[in-house]
């Protein structure tokens, strides 16, 4: 993993995340091996707490906001590409905090889900022979999204011309 020296670490980053993951995962596996009915109320509560803590511990492995975004959007963007939906990988400044990072991920995910929903609605109306009057245009985009789309389209057309 290449990290620039001037990049600011994400506030959720924990250099000891692997040890915490291993401990929590081992404890959870130890409890899961046993039959659910044989667990005490405290052990069930501990198991639920461990299941909730594992994603938080894993999120602590991401050093920068852009690493966090790349991990959390990789499968979403792959699915969007397979469906022919244009989507973008947000790039945040080095000093971005976790809230801003999560908001960027949510914006891209929400955009993709909205396009998928509108396509399926339009297709259902087409099959039924109805005019989908309530199916509007693409979702409302922020200035950053519009800028990212323009950069993507210009880059794509340049790549196509080069072939």
């Amino acid at each position: 993993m290449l990290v620039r020296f001037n990049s600011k670490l994400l506030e959720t980053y924990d250099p000891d995340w692997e040890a915490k993951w291993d401990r929590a995962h081992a404890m959870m596996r130890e409890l899961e091996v046993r039959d659910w009915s044989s667990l005490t109320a405290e052990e069930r509560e501990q198991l639920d707490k461990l299941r909730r803590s594992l994603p938080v511990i894993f999120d602590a492995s991401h050093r920068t906001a852009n690493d966090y975004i790349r991990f959390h959007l990789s499968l979403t963007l792959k699915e969007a590409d397979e469906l022919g939906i244009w989507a973008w990988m947000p790039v945040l400044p080095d000093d971005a905090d976790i809230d801003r990072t999560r908001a960027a991920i949510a914006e891209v995910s929400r955009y993709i889900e909205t396009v998928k929903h509108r396509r399926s609605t339009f297709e259902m109306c087409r099959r039924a022979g109805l005019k989908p009057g309530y199916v509007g245009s693409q979702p409302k985009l922020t200035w950053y999204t519009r800028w990212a789309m323009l950069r993507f389209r210009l880059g794509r057309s340049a790549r196509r011309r080069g072939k």
Side-chain angles (χ1 to χ4, degrees):
M1 178 189 316
L2 180 64
V3 178
R4 292 181 297 202
F5 290 107
N6 64 351
S7 63
K8 179 184 164 211
L9 293 177
L10 206 52
E11 67 263 18
T12 56
Y13 175 69
D14 182 5
D16 193 35
W17 76 271
E18 284 182 279
K20 290 178 182 177
W21 172 272
D22 291 339
R23 282 192 305 270
H25 198 258
M27 289 172 56
M28 188 175 84
R29 291 292 172 224
E30 185 179 304
L31 289 171
E32 284 181 336
V33 169
R34 297 171 47 196
D35 186 48
W36 182 259
S37 59
S38 68
L39 294 176
T40 65
E42 290 175 357
E43 289 172 332
R44 288 181 187 166
E45 186 178 317
Q46 182 183 13
L47 183 60
D48 287 338
K49 188 176 176 184
L50 287 168
R51 285 182 179 154
R52 286 190 307 271
S53 69
L54 282 175
V56 174
I57 293 170
F58 185 76
D59 276 352
S61 70
H62 304 293
R63 297 175 66 91
T64 64
N66 293 314
D67 290 340
Y68 188 92
I69 288 171
R70 265 192 303 279
F71 175 78
H72 284 281
L73 281 180
S74 60
L75 294 177
T76 305
L77 291 175
K78 182 179 178 186
E79 178 191 13
D81 192 41
E82 289 169 356
L83 294 172
I85 299 172
W86 177 87
W88 66 100
M89 178 72 74
V91 177
L92 296 180
D94 292 335
D95 62 343
D97 63 346
I98 192 68
D99 293 330
R100 189 169 170 195
T101 304
R102 288 180 178 149
I105 291 169
E107 180 183 11
V108 173
S109 298
R110 194 171 33 252
Y111 173 82
I112 292 169
E113 288 304 314
T114 302
V115 172
K116 283 171 38 180
H117 175 73
R118 288 187 176 166
R119 282 184 179 179
S120 66
T121 303
F122 187 80
E123 183 60 26
M124 286 189 307
C125 290
R126 187 189 63 76
R127 286 183 186 169
L130 302 172
K131 182 178 178 185
Y134 58 89
V135 178
S137 61
Q138 296 292 327
K140 196 169 194 173
L141 304 174
T142 63
W143 69 269
Y144 179 78
T145 305
R146 291 178 191 280
W147 173 246
M149 287 173 76
L150 177 64
R151 284 187 5 215
F152 176 80
R153 287 181 180 152
L154 290 174
R156 177 183 258 178
S157 64
R159 284 191 302 273
R160 285 184 180 165
R161 274 186 249 123
K163 287 186 176 182

